[in-house]
C-alpha cells in the first residue's frame, strides 16, 4: 500500500484513495492532508481569501426540506422579507466596505412577484455598487434554489454582460435514498433528485458560474457516498463548492439518531474540504459558516484545509435570528462591521490575505471559458513551503471517540 505522503503527491486519485483520505483520523495524518490541501490552494488559486457578503433577504419558503429550520411547515417561525431598498443598501454597504461580492439568499419561491423582485435587485445592486475602487460594481452570487431555465436566464441577463454572476445550488447528497429521506413527498414542486441535476445544467446554460455541494455527516451517509459526491462534482465540472457539516435544526423534523459527535463531524468535514481541493484543484471552495457552529475557529480551519472563500453575514441584525437553517448558527448577534473586523485578523493568522474590492471569480470558471486569469486572482506573493504560512498556529483537530470512529467505519462497511 502507498504511504500517505506518496498518496498526497498524486494528481489523480482512485475512489479507494479518496475514501482512505476522507477517513483519516490520526492527528498527524490529518495534518499531512491539511498541509497538502493548503499548499495546493496557494499554488493553484493564490493566497487571497475572497468575501461574499451574505444577505438573507427572506425566510419564506415554499418547500419543506426536513433538515431545515425555515421549512414551510415550521409554524413557530416569524417570517420576514427585506425590502428592495434594504437589500440594495446592504449590498452598497458591502461595496463601500471593500467587499467585491455579495450573495443573495432566501427560501425557495418561484412566483412572478419574487422572480421580478430578484431581477430588480440584481439591476440595482449592479448599478449602485460601482465606485472608483469597484468600477464594474459588485459581483453577485444567488442562492435561491431550483428555478426554471427562463428564470435563471432573466436573472443572469439583469446583471449585464460581465462575468459577474454565480449561483450556488447544493445537491445535498448524491445518494438517492438519503436524498429521498430529506424531502417529503406531496407537493408538485418539492425537491427531486433528477430535477436538481437538471437545474445545475440549466444554470450552466444560462451563463452562471455554477456552484454546488453537499451536507457532510448525514445520518446513514458513508465515506463511499462522500466519494460519490466528489465524483459528481467532477462530472458536473463545477466552478465552486459550498459544503458544510450536517447540523440538526430544532425547526426541522429530523431526529439526531445516527449523527456523528461534534469532533469527528468537524474532522470529517475538514477532510472533505481538503480532498475536494486535491481532486477538483482550482475551484472556489467556501469555508461554510456551519463549521463555526462546531468550533469557534471552524471557518479558519476550513481555510487551513484548502478553502479560499468566506461568506460574512451582512443581513441586518434584527432579522438574522429568523434565518437559522440549523441550530447554533454563529454571528447572529453581531453587526456587519464586527464581522468585517474580526474576520480579517483571523484570515491573516491563517497566512492568507483578504482580496478586497475584487470579485474573486473561480479560476476553474475562467479556465473553462478561456478567459484570462483575472488580476484579482493574483498568484501567491511567495511560494509557501509546506505549512510555512501556518507555522506555530495550532490547528484544533476534532477529538475522535472510539464509538464514533467505529460508527463511521461500520457505515463504510455497510456500503455495497
Ligand atoms: S433548505 Fe432551502 S428549500 Fe429547503 S426548506 Fe430550507 S430554505 Fe427551503
Amino acid at each position: 500500500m502507498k504511504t500517505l505522503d506518496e498518496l498526497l503527491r498524486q494528481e489523480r486519485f482512485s475512489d479507494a484513495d479518496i475514501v482512505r483520505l476522507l477517513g483519516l483520523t490520526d492527528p498527524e495524518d490529518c495534518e499531512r492532508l491539511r498541509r497538502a490541501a493548503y499548499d495546493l490552494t496557494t499554488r493553484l488559486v493564490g493566497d487571497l481569501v475572497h468575501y461574499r457578503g451574505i444577505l438573507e433577504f427572506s425566510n419564506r419558503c415554499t418547500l419543506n426540506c426536513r433538515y431545515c429550520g425555515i421549512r414551510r411547515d415550521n409554524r413557530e417561525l416569524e417570517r420576514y422579507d427585506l425590502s428592495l431598498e434594504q437589500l440594495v443598501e446592504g449590498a452598497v454597504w458591502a461595496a463601500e466596505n471593500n467587499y467585491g461580492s455579495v450573495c443573495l439568499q432566501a427560501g425557495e419561491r418561484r412566483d412572478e412577484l419574487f422572480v421580478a423582485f430578484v431581477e430588480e435587485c440584481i439591476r440595482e445592486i449592479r448599478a449602485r455598487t460601482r465606485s472608483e475602487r469597484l468600477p464594474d460594481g459588485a459581483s453577485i452570487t444567488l442562492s435561491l434554489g431550483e428555478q426554471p431555465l427562463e428564470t435563471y436566464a432573466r436573472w443572469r441577463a439583469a446583471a449585464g454582460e460581465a462575468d459577474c454572476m454565480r449561483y450556488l445550488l447544493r445537491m445535498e447528497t448524491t445518494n438517492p435514498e438519503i436524498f429521498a429521506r430529506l424531502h417529503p413527498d406531496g407537493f408538485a414542486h418539492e425537491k427531486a433528485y433528477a430535477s436538481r441535476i437538471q437545474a445545475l445544467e440549466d444554470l450552466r446554460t444560462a451563463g452562471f458560474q455554477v456552484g454546488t455541494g453537499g451536507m457532510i455527516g448525514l445520518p446513514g451517509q458513508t465515506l463511499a457516498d462522500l466519494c460519490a459526491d466528489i465524483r459528481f462534482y467532477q462530472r458536473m465540472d463545477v466552478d465552486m463548492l459550498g459544503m458544510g457539516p450536517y447540523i440538526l435544526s430544532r425547526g426541522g423534523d429530523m431526529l439526531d439518531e445516527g449523527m456523528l459527535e461534534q469532533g469527528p463531524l468537524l474532522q470529517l468535514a475538514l477532510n472533505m474540504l481538503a480532498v475536494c481541493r486535491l481532486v477538483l484543484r482550482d475551484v472556489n471552495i467556501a469555508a461554510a459558516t456551519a463549521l463555526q457552529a462546531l468550533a469557534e475557529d471552524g471557518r479558519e480551519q476550513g481555510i487551513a484545509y484548502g478553502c479560499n472563500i468566506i461568506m460574512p453575514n451582512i443581513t441586518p441584525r434584527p432579522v438574522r435570528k429568523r434565518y437559522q437553517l440549523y441550530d447554533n448558527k454563529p454571528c447572529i448577534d453581531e453587526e456587519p462591521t464586527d464581522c468585517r473586523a474580526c474576520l480579517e485578523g483571523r484570515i491573516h493568522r491563517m497566512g492568507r490575505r483578504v482580496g478586497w474590492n475584487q470579485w474573486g471569480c473561480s479560476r476553474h470558471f475562467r479556465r473553462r471559458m478561456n478567459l484570462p486569469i483575472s488580476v484579482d486572482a493574483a498568484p501567491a506573493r511567495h511560494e509557501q513551503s509546506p505549512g510555512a504560512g501556518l507555522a506555530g498556529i495550532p490547528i484544533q483537530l476534532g477529538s475522535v471517540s472510539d464509538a464514533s470512529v467505529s460508527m463511521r467505519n461500520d457505515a463504510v462497511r455497510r456500503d455495497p
Side-chain angles (χ1 to χ4, degrees):
M1 190 163 82
K2 282 174 250 178
T3 66
L4 181 57
D5 288 331
E6 284 167 345
L7 186 55
L8 291 171
R9 278 196 292 274
Q10 295 177 177
E11 289 195 6
R12 288 173 191 276
F13 299 87
S14 68
D15 288 0
D17 294 337
I18 289 174
V19 167
R20 181 175 162 201
L21 293 174
L22 289 171
L24 294 178
T25 53
D26 176 81
E28 283 184 16
D29 290 344
C30 293
E31 170 58 14
R32 281 197 182 91
L33 171 63
R34 181 204 67 71
R35 191 175 298 182
Y38 182 91
D39 287 349
L40 190 68
T41 310
T42 312
R43 194 151 58 81
L44 296 185
V45 181
D47 70 343
L48 294 176
V49 170
H50 287 100
Y51 285 7
R52 319 288 185 224
I54 187 162
L55 286 154
E56 297 156 339
F57 66 89
S58 169
N59 65 354
R60 290 181 206 286
C61 189
T62 55
L63 300 192
N64 213 20
C65 309
R66 292 186 56 218
Y67 59 83
C68 178
I70 68 166
R71 70 202 173 94
R72 184 186 64 225
D73 285 357
N74 181 2
R75 312 273 177 224
E76 310 287 301
L77 190 65
E78 204 184 327
R79 304 286 168 169
Y80 74 87
D81 305 283
L82 296 187
S83 67
L84 185 134
E85 199 47 40
Q86 283 175 307
L87 190 46
V88 175
E89 267 174 22
V92 169
W93 178 91
E96 284 172 350
N97 282 273
N98 305 316
Y99 292 29
S101 194
V102 292
C103 173
L104 311 186
Q105 190 175 71
E108 192 163 319
R109 284 174 55 184
R110 300 179 191 173
D111 53 281
E112 175 56 28
L113 204 62
F114 181 78
V115 172
F117 175 82
V118 174
E119 198 175 18
E120 190 57 22
C121 287
I122 294 169
R123 274 200 205 97
E124 288 287 311
I125 289 171
R126 293 283 300 129
R128 286 171 53 187
T129 52
R130 288 169 202 263
S131 68
E132 253 176 51
R133 283 171 306 186
L134 206 55
D136 207 8
S139 63
I140 302 173
T141 304
L142 301 178
S143 177
L144 303 172
E146 279 176 55
Q147 303 286 343
L149 174 57
E150 69 188 41
T151 299
Y152 289 148
R154 274 172 70 180
W155 289 345
R156 176 65 192 84
E161 295 284 300
D163 292 310
C164 60
M165 289 300 286
R166 315 185 178 103
Y167 204 107
L168 182 63
L169 182 73
R170 281 184 174 186
M171 189 60 208
E172 302 176 350
T173 170
T174 56
N175 179 322
E177 282 172 25
I178 299 177
F179 188 92
R181 281 207 294 276
L182 302 179
H183 302 288
D185 295 328
F187 270 67
H189 92 237
E190 222 56 88
K191 281 183 196 169
Y193 191 84
S195 66
R196 207 135 184 97
I197 294 175
Q198 182 62 51
L200 284 166
E201 286 168 357
D202 289 347
L203 283 165
R204 175 74 79 95
T205 306
F208 283 90
Q209 298 176 43
V210 180
T212 189
M215 283 179 282
I216 302 157
L218 284 161
Q221 192 180 43
T222 65
L223 298 183
D225 288 330
L226 292 175
C227 173
D229 289 352
I230 294 173
R231 293 300 190 210
F232 173 78
Y233 308 150
Q234 258 186 320
R235 276 197 308 282
M236 298 299 286
D237 197 21
V238 295
D239 304 307
M240 324 177 298
L241 288 174
M243 296 174 291
Y246 167 67
I247 299 173
L248 201 69
S249 167
R250 269 165 299 182
D253 77 344
M254 285 175 68
L255 303 172
D256 58 1
E257 201 175 311
M259 282 190 64
L260 286 172
E261 290 169 22
Q262 196 158 313
L265 176 58
L266 176 62
Q267 189 60 61
L268 180 62
L270 293 170
N271 289 0
M272 181 70 174
L273 292 168
V275 177
C276 281
R277 171 61 69 207
L278 296 180
V279 176
L280 293 151
R281 302 179 73 77
D282 58 358
V283 297
N284 277 353
I285 305 181
T289 310
L291 292 168
Q292 207 182 337
L294 295 178
E296 205 271 325
D297 63 347
R299 281 187 300 188
E300 292 91 299
Q301 293 195 53
I303 291 172
Y305 275 76
C307 294
N308 65 317
I309 301 291
I310 286 221
M311 302 175 81
N313 196 335
I314 59 169
T315 307
R317 195 171 63 165
V319 295
R320 270 197 217 176
K321 281 199 173 78
R322 289 187 256 152
Y323 201 97
Q324 292 202 60
L325 306 188
Y326 53 85
D327 292 349
N328 299 324
K329 190 175 169 190
C331 296
I332 53 175
D333 289 321
E334 288 168 16
E335 291 294 352
T337 37
D338 300 334
C339 280
R340 183 187 186 282
C342 110
L343 259 182
E344 185 171 16
R346 289 164 176 243
I347 287 166
H348 284 171
R349 285 196 289 282
M350 289 292 107
R352 298 299 197 210
R353 297 177 293 147
V354 180
W356 296 119
N357 296 307
Q358 299 175 353
W359 286 356
C361 290
S362 153
R363 281 201 166 197
H364 183 83
F365 169 76
R366 302 193 72 85
R367 193 163 52 77
R368 81 173 165 79
M369 299 297 288
N370 291 321
L371 296 168
I373 298 295
S374 63
V375 281
D376 71 37
R381 286 168 300 171
H382 52 271
E383 196 69 23
Q384 302 256 17
S385 63
L390 294 162
I393 298 171
I395 300 294
Q396 185 73 45
L397 294 172
S399 62
V400 181
S401 76
D402 291 346
S404 58
V405 171
S406 73
M407 189 214 95
R408 194 186 311 166
N409 289 341
D410 284 351
V412 174
R413 278 198 293 276
R414 276 201 305 275
D415 200 74

